[in-house]
Amino acid sequence: MGFDAKRSARIAAMQETARPVWETTGDTDALQQFLKDNGCHGVEAVFVTMHLLNCDLAEAQQAFFNAPCRYSERRFHNHVMDLLTEAADTDG
């Protein structure tokens, strides 16, 4: 996935800032808390996670959405998915 130069730079910078947290703890919840505390959210947090864990997008999203500190993001995501499902059901 391509990002504009500013977003790519933010992701790369946060990846290096968060690397010691990941290497020290090996804990995805601690990583997500660090990212959240440092203003890294949404797509950027998922991509930082993907790069640090050296994993695919699905695994990074799972780490993001399963972290306790990401409860509100998970709730929003689930609500949007429910609305999309309802919309698809009424179209068919």
Side-chain angles (χ1 to χ4, degrees):
M1 173 179 277
F3 296 116
D4 64 34
K6 286 183 181 181
R7 180 172 260 184
S8 293
R10 282 194 310 268
I11 291 169
M14 184 54 68
Q15 181 180 327
E16 292 313 308
T17 301
R19 184 178 305 283
V21 172
W22 173 245
E23 289 176 349
T24 301
T25 67
D27 181 351
T28 58
D29 291 348
L31 174 62
Q32 291 307 313
Q33 187 65 58
F34 178 84
L35 294 175
K36 183 176 182 178
D37 291 347
N38 287 276
C40 185
H41 304 286
V43 170
E44 291 180 13
V46 171
F47 274 82
V48 169
T49 301
M50 187 169 70
H51 292 293
L52 288 175
L53 276 61
N54 194 28
C55 65
D56 63 16
L57 181 59
E59 189 176 345
Q61 287 176 316
Q62 185 176 23
F64 176 85
F65 283 121
N66 286 339
C69 68
R70 299 293 188 181
Y71 173 76
S72 61
E73 288 96 332
R74 181 174 58 250
R75 201 172 93 211
F76 174 78
H77 175 268
N78 289 341
H79 179 68
V80 168
M81 293 298 110
D82 290 344
L83 291 174
L84 289 172
T85 300
E86 288 173 19
D89 289 346
T90 59
D91 289 341

Coordinates of all heavy atoms in Angstrom, one line a residue:
M1 N 0.8 -1.2 0.0 CA 0.0 0.0 0.0 C 0.9 1.2 0.0 O 1.8 1.3 0.8 CB -0.9 0.0 1.2 CG -1.7 1.2 1.4 SD -2.8 1.2 2.8 CE -4.2 0.3 2.1
G2 N 0.6 2.2 -0.9 CA 1.4 3.4 -1.0 C 0.8 4.5 -0.2 O -0.4 4.6 -0.1
F3 N 1.7 5.3 0.5 CA 1.2 6.4 1.2 C 1.9 7.6 0.7 O 3.0 7.5 0.0 CB 1.6 6.3 2.7 CG 0.9 5.2 3.4 CD1 1.6 4.1 3.9 CD2 -0.5 5.2 3.6 CE1 1.0 3.1 4.6 CE2 -1.1 4.1 4.2 CZ -0.4 3.1 4.7
D4 N 1.4 8.8 1.0 CA 2.1 10.0 0.6 C 3.4 10.1 1.4 O 3.6 9.4 2.4 CB 1.3 11.3 0.7 CG 0.8 11.6 2.1 OD1 1.6 11.4 3.1 OD2 -0.3 12.1 2.3
A5 N 4.3 11.0 1.0 CA 5.6 11.1 1.6 C 5.5 11.5 3.1 O 6.3 10.9 3.9 CB 6.5 12.1 0.9
K6 N 4.6 12.3 3.5 CA 4.5 12.7 4.9 C 4.0 11.6 5.8 O 4.6 11.4 6.9 CB 3.5 13.9 5.0 CG 4.0 15.2 4.6 CD 3.0 16.3 4.8 CE 3.6 17.6 4.3 NZ 2.6 18.7 4.5
R7 N 3.0 10.8 5.3 CA 2.6 9.7 6.1 C 3.6 8.6 6.2 O 3.8 8.0 7.2 CB 1.3 9.1 5.5 CG 0.7 7.9 6.3 CD -0.6 7.5 5.8 NE -1.6 8.0 6.8 CZ -2.9 7.7 6.7 NH1 -3.4 7.0 5.8 NH2 -3.7 8.3 7.6
S8 N 4.3 8.3 5.1 CA 5.4 7.3 5.1 C 6.5 7.7 6.1 O 7.0 6.9 6.8 CB 6.0 7.2 3.7 OG 5.0 6.6 2.8
A9 N 6.8 9.0 6.1 CA 7.8 9.5 7.1 C 7.3 9.4 8.5 O 8.1 9.0 9.4 CB 8.1 11.0 6.8
R10 N 6.1 9.7 8.8 CA 5.5 9.5 10.1 C 5.6 8.0 10.6 O 6.0 7.7 11.7 CB 4.1 10.0 10.2 CG 3.9 11.5 10.3 CD 2.5 11.9 10.7 NE 1.5 11.3 9.9 CZ 0.9 11.8 8.8 NH1 1.4 13.0 8.3 NH2 -0.1 11.2 8.2
I11 N 5.2 7.1 9.7 CA 5.2 5.7 10.0 C 6.7 5.3 10.3 O 6.9 4.6 11.3 CB 4.6 4.9 8.9 CG1 3.1 5.1 8.8 CG2 4.9 3.4 9.0 CD1 2.4 4.6 7.6
A12 N 7.6 5.7 9.4 CA 9.0 5.3 9.6 C 9.6 5.8 10.9 O 10.3 5.1 11.7 CB 9.9 5.7 8.4
A13 N 9.3 7.1 11.2 CA 9.8 7.7 12.5 C 9.2 7.0 13.7 O 9.9 6.7 14.7 CB 9.4 9.2 12.5
M14 N 7.9 6.8 13.7 CA 7.3 6.1 14.8 C 7.8 4.7 15.0 O 7.9 4.2 16.1 CB 5.7 6.1 14.7 CG 5.0 5.5 15.9 SD 5.5 6.3 17.5 CE 4.8 7.9 17.4
Q15 N 8.0 4.0 13.9 CA 8.6 2.7 13.9 C 9.9 2.7 14.7 O 10.1 1.8 15.6 CB 8.8 2.2 12.5 CG 9.3 0.8 12.4 CD 9.5 0.3 10.9 OE1 8.7 0.7 10.1 NE2 10.5 -0.5 10.7
E16 N 10.7 3.6 14.4 CA 12.0 3.7 15.1 C 11.9 4.1 16.5 O 12.6 3.6 17.4 CB 13.0 4.6 14.3 CG 13.4 4.0 13.0 CD 13.8 2.5 13.1 OE1 14.7 2.2 13.9 OE2 13.3 1.7 12.3
T17 N 10.9 5.0 16.8 CA 10.7 5.4 18.2 C 10.1 4.3 19.0 O 10.5 4.1 20.2 CB 9.7 6.6 18.2 OG1 10.2 7.7 17.4 CG2 9.4 7.1 19.6
A18 N 9.3 3.5 18.4 CA 8.6 2.4 19.2 C 9.4 1.1 19.2 O 9.2 0.2 20.0 CB 7.2 2.1 18.5
R19 N 10.4 1.0 18.4 CA 11.2 -0.2 18.3 C 11.8 -0.7 19.7 O 11.6 -1.9 20.0 CB 12.4 -0.1 17.3 CG 13.2 -1.4 17.1 CD 14.3 -1.2 16.1 NE 13.8 -0.8 14.8 CZ 13.2 -1.5 13.9 NH1 12.9 -2.8 14.2 NH2 12.8 -1.0 12.8
P20 N 12.3 0.2 20.5 CA 12.8 -0.2 21.8 C 11.7 -0.8 22.7 O 12.0 -1.7 23.5 CB 13.4 1.0 22.4 CG 13.7 1.9 21.3 CD 12.7 1.6 20.2
V21 N 10.5 -0.3 22.6 CA 9.4 -0.8 23.4 C 9.1 -2.2 23.0 O 9.0 -3.1 23.8 CB 8.2 0.1 23.3 CG1 7.0 -0.5 23.9 CG2 8.4 1.5 23.8
W22 N 9.0 -2.4 21.7 CA 8.7 -3.8 21.2 C 9.9 -4.7 21.5 O 9.6 -5.9 22.0 CB 8.5 -3.7 19.7 CG 8.3 -5.1 19.1 CD1 9.2 -5.7 18.2 CD2 7.3 -6.1 19.4 NE1 8.7 -7.0 17.9 CE2 7.6 -7.2 18.7 CE3 6.2 -6.1 20.3 CZ2 6.8 -8.4 18.7 CZ3 5.5 -7.2 20.3 CH2 5.7 -8.4 19.6
E23 N 11.1 -4.3 21.3 CA 12.3 -5.2 21.6 C 12.4 -5.5 23.1 O 12.8 -6.6 23.4 CB 13.5 -4.6 21.0 CG 13.5 -4.6 19.5 CD 14.7 -3.9 18.9 OE1 15.5 -3.2 19.6 OE2 14.9 -4.1 17.7
T24 N 12.1 -4.6 23.9 CA 12.2 -4.8 25.4 C 11.1 -5.6 25.9 O 11.3 -6.5 26.7 CB 12.2 -3.4 26.1 OG1 13.3 -2.7 25.6 CG2 12.3 -3.6 27.6
T25 N 9.8 -5.4 25.5 CA 8.7 -6.1 26.1 C 8.2 -7.3 25.3 O 7.7 -8.2 25.9 CB 7.5 -5.1 26.2 OG1 7.0 -4.8 24.9 CG2 7.8 -3.9 27.0
G26 N 8.3 -7.2 23.9 CA 7.7 -8.3 23.1 C 6.2 -8.4 23.3 O 5.6 -9.4 23.0
D27 N 5.6 -7.4 23.8 CA 4.2 -7.4 24.2 C 3.4 -6.5 23.3 O 3.6 -5.2 23.3 CB 4.0 -6.9 25.6 CG 2.6 -6.9 26.2 OD1 1.7 -7.1 25.4 OD2 2.5 -6.7 27.4
T28 N 2.5 -7.0 22.5 CA 1.7 -6.2 21.5 C 0.8 -5.2 22.2 O 0.6 -4.1 21.7 CB 0.9 -7.1 20.6 OG1 0.0 -7.9 21.3 CG2 1.8 -7.9 19.7
D29 N 0.3 -5.6 23.4 CA -0.6 -4.6 24.2 C 0.3 -3.4 24.6 O -0.2 -2.3 24.5 CB -1.2 -5.3 25.4 CG -2.3 -6.3 25.0 OD1 -2.7 -6.3 23.8 OD2 -2.7 -7.0 25.9
A30 N 1.5 -3.7 25.1 CA 2.4 -2.6 25.5 C 2.8 -1.7 24.3 O 2.8 -0.5 24.4 CB 3.6 -3.1 26.2
L31 N 3.0 -2.3 23.2 CA 3.3 -1.6 22.0 C 2.1 -0.7 21.6 O 2.3 0.5 21.3 CB 3.6 -2.6 20.8 CG 3.8 -1.9 19.5 CD1 5.0 -0.9 19.5 CD2 4.0 -3.0 18.4
Q32 N 0.9 -1.2 21.6 CA -0.2 -0.4 21.2 C -0.4 0.7 22.2 O -0.8 1.8 21.8 CB -1.5 -1.3 21.1 CG -1.5 -2.2 19.9 CD -1.2 -1.5 18.6 OE1 -1.8 -0.5 18.3 NE2 -0.3 -2.1 17.9
Q33 N -0.2 0.5 23.5 CA -0.4 1.5 24.5 C 0.7 2.6 24.2 O 0.3 3.8 24.3 CB -0.2 1.0 25.9 CG -0.5 2.0 27.0 CD -1.9 2.5 27.0 OE1 -2.9 1.7 27.1 NE2 -2.2 3.8 26.8
F34 N 1.9 2.3 23.9 CA 2.9 3.2 23.6 C 2.5 4.0 22.3 O 2.7 5.3 22.3 CB 4.3 2.5 23.3 CG 5.4 3.5 23.0 CD1 6.1 4.2 23.9 CD2 5.7 3.7 21.6 CE1 7.1 5.0 23.6 CE2 6.7 4.6 21.3 CZ 7.4 5.3 22.2
L35 N 2.1 3.4 21.3 CA 1.7 4.1 20.1 C 0.5 5.0 20.4 O 0.6 6.2 19.9 CB 1.3 3.1 19.0 CG 2.4 2.2 18.5 CD1 1.9 1.1 17.5 CD2 3.5 3.0 17.8
K36 N -0.4 4.6 21.1 CA -1.6 5.4 21.4 C -1.1 6.6 22.2 O -1.5 7.8 21.9 CB -2.6 4.7 22.2 CG -3.9 5.5 22.5 CD -5.0 4.6 23.1 CE -6.2 5.5 23.3 NZ -7.3 4.8 23.9
D37 N -0.3 6.4 23.2 CA 0.2 7.5 24.1 C 1.0 8.5 23.3 O 1.1 9.7 23.7 CB 1.0 6.9 25.2 CG 0.2 6.2 26.3 OD1 -1.0 6.2 26.2 OD2 0.9 5.5 27.1
N38 N 1.6 8.1 22.2 CA 2.4 9.0 21.4 C 1.7 9.4 20.1 O 2.3 9.9 19.1 CB 3.7 8.3 21.0 CG 4.6 8.2 22.2 OD1 5.3 9.2 22.5 ND2 4.6 7.1 23.0
G39 N 0.3 9.3 20.1 CA -0.5 9.9 19.0 C -0.5 9.1 17.7 O -0.8 9.7 16.7
C40 N -0.1 7.9 17.8 CA -0.1 7.0 16.6 C -1.4 6.1 16.6 O -1.5 5.3 17.5 CB 1.1 6.2 16.5 SG 1.3 5.2 15.0
H41 N -2.3 6.4 15.7 CA -3.6 5.7 15.6 C -3.9 5.2 14.3 O -3.2 5.5 13.3 CB -4.7 6.7 16.0 CG -4.5 7.4 17.3 ND1 -4.6 6.7 18.5 CD2 -4.0 8.6 17.7 CE1 -4.4 7.5 19.5 NE2 -4.0 8.7 19.0
G42 N -4.9 4.4 14.2 CA -5.5 3.9 12.9 C -4.5 3.2 12.0 O -3.7 2.4 12.5
V43 N -4.6 3.5 10.8 CA -3.8 2.9 9.7 C -2.3 3.0 10.1 O -1.5 2.0 9.9 CB -4.1 3.5 8.3 CG1 -3.1 3.0 7.3 CG2 -5.5 3.2 7.9
E44 N -1.9 4.2 10.5 CA -0.4 4.3 10.8 C 0.0 3.4 11.9 O 1.1 2.8 11.9 CB -0.1 5.8 11.2 CG -0.3 6.7 10.0 CD 0.0 8.1 10.2 OE1 0.6 8.5 11.3 OE2 -0.3 9.0 9.4
A45 N -0.8 3.2 13.0 CA -0.5 2.3 14.1 C -0.4 0.9 13.6 O 0.5 0.1 14.0 CB -1.4 2.4 15.2
V46 N -1.3 0.5 12.7 CA -1.3 -0.9 12.1 C -0.1 -1.1 11.3 O 0.6 -2.1 11.4 CB -2.6 -1.1 11.3 CG1 -2.5 -2.4 10.5 CG2 -3.8 -1.1 12.2
F47 N 0.3 -0.1 10.5 CA 1.5 -0.3 9.7 C 2.8 -0.3 10.5 O 3.8 -1.0 10.2 CB 1.6 0.7 8.5 CG 0.8 0.2 7.4 CD1 -0.6 0.3 7.3 CD2 1.5 -0.5 6.3 CE1 -1.3 -0.2 6.2 CE2 0.7 -1.0 5.3 CZ -0.6 -0.8 5.2
V48 N 2.9 0.5 11.6 CA 4.0 0.5 12.5 C 4.1 -0.9 13.1 O 5.2 -1.5 13.2 CB 3.9 1.6 13.6 CG1 5.0 1.3 14.7 CG2 4.1 3.0 13.0
T49 N 3.0 -1.4 13.5 CA 2.9 -2.7 14.1 C 3.3 -3.8 13.1 O 4.1 -4.7 13.5 CB 1.5 -3.0 14.6 OG1 1.1 -2.0 15.6 CG2 1.4 -4.4 15.2
M50 N 2.9 -3.7 11.9 CA 3.2 -4.7 10.9 C 4.7 -4.7 10.7 O 5.3 -5.8 10.6 CB 2.5 -4.4 9.6 CG 2.6 -5.4 8.5 SD 1.5 -5.2 7.1 CE 2.2 -3.7 6.4
H51 N 5.3 -3.6 10.6 CA 6.8 -3.5 10.4 C 7.6 -4.0 11.6 O 8.5 -4.8 11.4 CB 7.2 -2.1 10.0 CG 6.7 -1.6 8.7 ND1 7.1 -2.2 7.5 CD2 5.8 -0.7 8.4 CE1 6.5 -1.6 6.5 NE2 5.7 -0.7 7.0
L52 N 7.2 -3.6 12.8 CA 7.9 -4.0 14.0 C 7.8 -5.5 14.2 O 8.8 -6.2 14.6 CB 7.5 -3.2 15.2 CG 7.9 -1.8 15.2 CD1 7.3 -1.1 16.4 CD2 9.4 -1.7 15.2
L53 N 6.6 -6.1 14.0 CA 6.4 -7.5 14.3 C 6.8 -8.4 13.1 O 6.8 -9.6 13.2 CB 4.9 -7.8 14.6 CG 4.5 -7.6 16.0 CD1 4.6 -6.2 16.5 CD2 3.0 -8.1 16.2
N54 N 7.1 -7.7 12.0 CA 7.5 -8.4 10.7 C 6.4 -9.4 10.4 O 6.6 -10.6 10.2 CB 8.8 -9.0 10.8 CG 9.4 -9.5 9.5 OD1 9.0 -8.9 8.5 ND2 10.2 -10.5 9.5
C55 N 5.1 -8.9 10.3 CA 4.0 -9.8 10.1 C 3.1 -9.2 9.0 O 3.4 -8.1 8.5 CB 3.2 -9.9 11.4 SG 2.4 -8.4 12.0
D56 N 2.1 -10.0 8.6 CA 1.2 -9.5 7.6 C 0.2 -8.6 8.1 O 0.1 -8.4 9.4 CB 0.6 -10.7 6.8 CG -0.3 -11.5 7.7 OD1 -0.7 -11.1 8.8 OD2 -0.7 -12.7 7.3
L57 N -0.6 -8.0 7.2 CA -1.6 -7.0 7.6 C -2.6 -7.5 8.6 O -3.0 -6.9 9.6 CB -2.3 -6.4 6.4 CG -3.3 -5.3 6.6 CD1 -2.7 -4.1 7.3 CD2 -3.9 -4.9 5.2
A58 N -3.1 -8.8 8.3 CA -4.1 -9.3 9.2 C -3.6 -9.5 10.6 O -4.3 -9.2 11.6 CB -4.6 -10.7 8.7
E59 N -2.4 -10.0 10.8 CA -1.8 -10.1 12.2 C -1.6 -8.8 12.8 O -1.9 -8.6 14.0 CB -0.5 -10.9 12.1 CG 0.0 -11.3 13.4 CD 1.3 -12.1 13.4 OE1 1.6 -12.7 12.3 OE2 1.9 -12.3 14.4
A60 N -1.2 -7.8 12.1 CA -1.0 -6.4 12.7 C -2.4 -5.8 13.1 O -2.5 -5.2 14.1 CB -0.3 -5.5 11.7
Q61 N -3.4 -6.0 12.3 CA -4.7 -5.5 12.6 C -5.2 -6.3 13.9 O -5.9 -5.6 14.7 CB -5.7 -5.8 11.5 CG -5.5 -4.8 10.3 CD -6.4 -5.1 9.2 OE1 -6.6 -6.2 8.8 NE2 -7.0 -4.1 8.6
Q62 N -5.0 -7.5 14.0 CA -5.4 -8.3 15.2 C -4.7 -7.7 16.4 O -5.4 -7.5 17.4 CB -5.1 -9.8 15.0 CG -5.6 -10.6 16.1 CD -5.4 -12.1 15.8 OE1 -4.5 -12.5 15.1 NE2 -6.2 -12.9 16.5
A63 N -3.4 -7.5 16.3 CA -2.7 -6.9 17.5 C -3.3 -5.5 17.8 O -3.4 -5.2 19.0 CB -1.2 -6.8 17.2
F64 N -3.6 -4.7 16.8 CA -4.1 -3.4 17.0 C -5.5 -3.5 17.7 O -5.7 -2.9 18.8 CB -4.3 -2.7 15.7 CG -4.9 -1.3 15.8 CD1 -4.2 -0.2 16.1 CD2 -6.3 -1.2 15.5 CE1 -4.8 1.0 16.1 CE2 -6.9 0.1 15.5 CZ -6.1 1.2 15.9
F65 N -6.4 -4.2 17.1 CA -7.8 -4.3 17.6 C -8.0 -5.0 18.9 O -8.9 -4.8 19.7 CB -8.8 -4.8 16.6 CG -9.1 -3.8 15.5 CD1 -8.8 -4.1 14.2 CD2 -9.7 -2.6 15.8 CE1 -9.1 -3.2 13.1 CE2 -10.0 -1.7 14.8 CZ -9.7 -2.0 13.5
N66 N -7.1 -6.0 19.2 CA -7.2 -6.8 20.4 C -6.6 -6.1 21.7 O -6.8 -6.5 22.8 CB -6.6 -8.1 20.3 CG -7.5 -9.0 19.4 OD1 -8.7 -8.8 19.3 ND2 -6.9 -10.1 18.8
A67 N -5.8 -5.0 21.5 CA -5.2 -4.3 22.6 C -6.3 -3.6 23.4 O -7.1 -3.0 22.9 CB -4.2 -3.3 22.1
P68 N -6.2 -3.8 24.7 CA -7.2 -3.1 25.6 C -7.3 -1.6 25.3 O -8.4 -1.1 25.4 CB -6.7 -3.4 27.0 CG -5.9 -4.7 26.9 CD -5.3 -4.6 25.5
C69 N -6.2 -1.0 25.1 CA -6.3 0.5 24.9 C -6.9 0.9 23.6 O -7.2 2.1 23.4 CB -4.9 1.1 24.9 SG -3.8 0.6 23.6
R70 N -7.2 -0.1 22.7 CA -7.8 0.2 21.4 C -9.3 -0.1 21.4 O -9.9 -0.3 20.3 CB -7.1 -0.5 20.3 CG -5.6 -0.2 20.1 CD -5.4 1.2 19.6 NE -4.0 1.5 19.3 CZ -3.6 2.6 18.9 NH1 -4.4 3.7 18.8 NH2 -2.3 2.8 18.6
Y71 N -9.9 -0.3 22.6 CA -11.3 -0.6 22.7 C -12.2 0.3 21.8 O -13.1 -0.2 21.1 CB -11.8 -0.7 24.1 CG -13.2 -0.9 24.3 CD1 -13.8 -2.2 24.1 CD2 -14.1 0.2 24.6 CE1 -15.1 -2.4 24.2 CE2 -15.5 0.0 24.7 CZ -16.0 -1.3 24.5 OH -17.3 -1.5 24.6
S72 N -12.0 1.6 21.9 CA -12.9 2.5 21.2 C -12.8 2.3 19.7 O -13.8 2.4 18.9 CB -12.7 3.9 21.6 OG -11.4 4.3 21.3
E73 N -11.5 2.1 19.2 CA -11.3 1.8 17.8 C -12.0 0.5 17.4 O -12.6 0.5 16.3 CB -9.8 1.8 17.4 CG -9.1 3.1 17.5 CD -8.4 3.4 18.8 OE1 -8.9 2.8 19.8 OE2 -7.5 4.1 18.8
R74 N -11.9 -0.5 18.2 CA -12.5 -1.8 17.9 C -14.0 -1.6 17.9 O -14.7 -2.1 16.9 CB -12.1 -2.8 18.9 CG -12.7 -4.2 18.6 CD -12.1 -5.3 19.6 NE -12.4 -5.0 21.0 CZ -11.4 -4.7 21.9 NH1 -10.2 -4.6 21.5 NH2 -11.7 -4.4 23.1
R75 N -14.6 -0.9 18.8 CA -16.0 -0.7 18.9 C -16.5 0.0 17.6 O -17.5 -0.3 17.0 CB -16.4 0.0 20.1 CG -17.9 -0.1 20.5 CD -18.2 0.4 21.8 NE -18.6 1.8 21.6 CZ -18.5 2.8 22.4 NH1 -17.8 2.7 23.5 NH2 -18.9 4.0 22.1
F76 N -15.8 1.1 17.2 CA -16.1 1.8 16.0 C -16.1 1.0 14.8 O -17.0 0.9 13.9 CB -15.2 3.0 15.8 CG -15.4 3.8 14.6 CD1 -16.5 4.7 14.4 CD2 -14.6 3.6 13.5 CE1 -16.7 5.4 13.2 CE2 -14.8 4.3 12.3 CZ -15.8 5.2 12.2
H77 N -15.0 0.2 14.6 CA -14.8 -0.7 13.5 C -16.0 -1.7 13.4 O -16.5 -1.9 12.4 CB -13.5 -1.4 13.6 CG -13.2 -2.5 12.6 ND1 -13.6 -3.8 12.7 CD2 -12.7 -2.4 11.4 CE1 -13.3 -4.5 11.6 NE2 -12.7 -3.6 10.8
N78 N -16.3 -2.3 14.5 CA -17.4 -3.3 14.6 C -18.7 -2.7 14.2 O -19.5 -3.3 13.5 CB -17.4 -4.0 15.9 CG -16.3 -4.9 16.1 OD1 -15.6 -5.3 15.2 ND2 -16.0 -5.3 17.4
H79 N -18.9 -1.4 14.7 CA -20.2 -0.7 14.3 C -20.3 -0.5 12.8 O -21.3 -0.7 12.2 CB -20.3 0.6 15.1 CG -21.5 1.4 14.9 ND1 -22.7 0.9 15.2 CD2 -21.7 2.5 14.2 CE1 -23.6 1.8 14.8 NE2 -23.0 2.8 14.2
V80 N -19.2 0.0 12.2 CA -19.1 0.3 10.8 C -19.4 -1.0 10.0 O -20.1 -1.1 9.1 CB -17.8 0.9 10.4 CG1 -17.6 0.9 8.9 CG2 -17.7 2.3 11.0
M81 N -18.8 -2.1 10.5 CA -18.9 -3.4 9.8 C -20.4 -3.9 9.9 O -21.0 -4.4 8.9 CB -18.0 -4.5 10.3 CG -16.5 -4.3 10.1 SD -16.1 -4.3 8.3 CE -15.7 -2.5 8.1
D82 N -21.0 -3.7 11.0 CA -22.4 -4.0 11.2 C -23.3 -3.2 10.2 O -24.2 -3.7 9.6 CB -22.9 -3.8 12.6 CG -22.3 -4.8 13.6 OD1 -21.8 -5.9 13.1 OD2 -22.4 -4.5 14.8
L83 N -23.0 -1.9 10.1 CA -23.8 -1.0 9.2 C -23.6 -1.4 7.8 O -24.6 -1.4 7.0 CB -23.4 0.4 9.4 CG -23.8 1.1 10.7 CD1 -23.1 2.5 10.8 CD2 -25.3 1.1 10.9
L84 N -22.4 -1.8 7.4 CA -22.2 -2.2 6.0 C -22.9 -3.5 5.7 O -23.4 -3.7 4.7 CB -20.7 -2.4 5.8 CG -19.9 -1.1 5.7 CD1 -18.4 -1.4 5.6 CD2 -20.3 -0.3 4.5
T85 N -22.9 -4.4 6.7 CA -23.6 -5.7 6.6 C -25.1 -5.4 6.4 O -25.8 -6.0 5.5 CB -23.4 -6.6 7.8 OG1 -22.0 -6.9 7.8 CG2 -24.1 -7.9 7.6
E86 N -25.7 -4.6 7.2 CA -27.1 -4.2 7.1 C -27.4 -3.6 5.8 O -28.4 -3.9 5.2 CB -27.5 -3.2 8.3 CG -27.5 -3.8 9.6 CD -27.8 -2.8 10.7 OE1 -28.2 -1.7 10.4 OE2 -27.4 -3.1 11.9
A87 N -26.5 -2.7 5.3 CA -26.8 -2.1 4.0 C -26.7 -3.1 2.9 O -27.5 -3.1 2.0 CB -25.7 -1.0 3.8
A88 N -25.8 -4.0 3.0 CA -25.7 -5.1 2.0 C -26.9 -6.0 2.0 O -27.4 -6.4 0.9 CB -24.4 -5.9 2.2
D89 N -27.4 -6.3 3.2 CA -28.6 -7.1 3.3 C -29.9 -6.4 2.7 O -30.7 -7.1 2.2 CB -28.9 -7.5 4.8 CG -27.9 -8.5 5.3 OD1 -27.1 -9.1 4.5 OD2 -27.8 -8.6 6.6
T90 N -30.0 -5.1 2.9 CA -31.2 -4.4 2.4 C -31.1 -4.2 0.9 O -32.1 -4.0 0.2 CB -31.4 -3.1 3.1 OG1 -30.2 -2.2 2.9 CG2 -31.6 -3.3 4.5
D91 N -29.9 -4.2 0.3 CA -29.7 -4.0 -1.2 C -30.0 -5.3 -1.9 O -30.3 -5.2 -3.1 CB -28.3 -3.6 -1.5 CG -27.9 -2.2 -1.1 OD1 -28.9 -1.4 -0.8 OD2 -26.7 -1.9 -1.0
G92 N -29.9 -6.5 -1.3 CA -30.1 -7.7 -2.0 C -31.5 -8.2 -2.1 O -32.0 -8.8 -2.8

